[in-house]
Amino acid sequence: MPVQVLPTFDREFSFLRGDAKKLLIEGEWVEAASGQTFPSINPSTGATIAHLAQGDARDADKAVAAARRAFEGPWSKVTPAERQWMIWRLADLVEENYEELRLLEVLDMGSPIGRSPEAGATRAVEVLRYYAGWATKIQGETIPNSVPGSVFSYTLREPVGVVAAIVPWNGPLSNALWKIAPVLATGCTMVLKPAEQASLTAIRLGELICESEIPDGVVNIVTGFGETVGAALASHHDVDKVAFTGSTVTGQHIVRAAAGNLKRVSLELGGKSPDIVFADADLDKAVPGAAMAVFGNSGQVCCAGTRLFVQRPVYDEFVARVSHFAGALRVGDSLDPATQIGPLVSAGQLDRVLGYLKLGPVEGARTTVGGERLTEGPLKDGYFVPPTVFADVTDDMRIARDEIFGPVACVLPFDTVPEVVARANRGVYGLGGGVWTRDVGKAHQVSAALKTGAVWVNGYLHFDAAVPFGGYKMSGWGNELGARSLDEYLNVKSVWITTD
Ligand code: NAI
Ligand code: MG
């Protein structure tokens, strides 16, 4: 394995130098019980950038016990206002160290360093600051009842307890923060299991949590594989809730594993989101907008607009323009500021996506751009796939049904509104949806008719800490972000006081 040569930065960047990374349990960095490590790979080069502790069920046990002790002990004595300030302080630490966290994400996961300003420090910490504010506003109700006599009733909203947060690799910093923030705000404790393909940001976040005033054991981090640590957490009898983001198949495993103690489960799963371009759309906006809705982050986005339905009168023009746009995107090393499309996260994902690139033409799709792995020059050891457009796709093709999770757009022609709504709603997923039109009535009608947890009109992939996000159908259970998602981490208790 070649060893990664690090670029020089303004600040000392020592995180990747030194020994293998350890597990965070009760405020201490400890070796895995197995004593084994596994490599963390930079997908732009195939180089090993760090070694990570390979946790297993024994480490999961220790981490859950630590989270339980913190939940029953020190954390239960922290006031809501103190929790608020601890989260706020963590947000400050994340902001101060954002450049380093981003660099770890760039090296470990392959997201381009020059990516949109949208993904800046302010955006990343917003979720912490948003939930910091909620810590002091979680309140029950006093509810009039009709029980004879003098009986007074009210509700309390209490933390569910120990949360296992199992997260993917496609936006490692946000994947972790979207779970950490509501866990802290509601007074739960947690074991975080980052994805084996990109765990470094989570480990660095763990160091920042140790620097903050958050008590030991509130956030524990166990690295390792899904089938071992992940499965152990999902089936653990002392875990009260699993918060999972990842594939639908793994979500199903988690639901089955959770049945043992009927722990609470929230799921943010896969998608095959329809993005509908009407003939009256402003194509100058729809072409780049719809293209980046698929190709951004190399297509490794749960709600990527991968089924591009285009109305027949503009179909040929749209296919030509989107193919031209895709062909002009610059694919390269994630550390190059000029790169727009980085590599896929891992050799495994590369194989998977290449399989679909082969399948498309076999199923009868027309490849207008891309279609083959890039291996020239400096790209030779990385996992690079160019933005690819399949035109003339039909609903029954596997490329139109499966979540590919690569920079692959399937373009499907359509004629009428009822037809496209029915076709868009086919399939098992219901995560995102897009509509491009100048007709405000049509925008509202189609938004209402799509069976998806989010619809973006004349734009795509807007997110905000205050706005809920979640999936219909097999795209998930429950919401992340927004005020409602607090309930995913809370129990409601009714208290009845007889006063006479
Ligand atoms: P995955 O869903 O298996 O992995 C996500 C997380 O779950 C990781 O932390 C993993 O270690 C853990 N995990 C895996 N198996 C587990 C088990 N049996 N019990 C508990 N935890 C387990 O996804 P993977 O294998 O990384 O990617 C495969 C495909 O999944 C992708 O090609 C993509 O289609 C989809 N995916 C979708 C994501 C989304 O946000 N919708 C995110 C990641 C992957
Ligand atoms: Mg990696």
Side-chain angles (χ1 to χ4, degrees), residues 46 75 77 94 135 148 178 182 234 271 273-274 282 316 353 389 410 458-459 500:
W75 193 228
K77 305 198 173 53
V94 171
W178 287 21
S273 300
D282 178 349
D316 289 336
V353 173
V389 175
C410 293
N458 294 333
D500 62 356

Side-chain angles (χ1 to χ4, degrees), residues 267-269 430-432 452-454 469-479:
L267 303 169
E268 206 268 88
L269 306 176
L431 198 54
T452 60
F469 177 69
Y472 284 20
K473 302 198 275 181
M474 288 177 77
S475 291
W477 287 352
N479 282 303

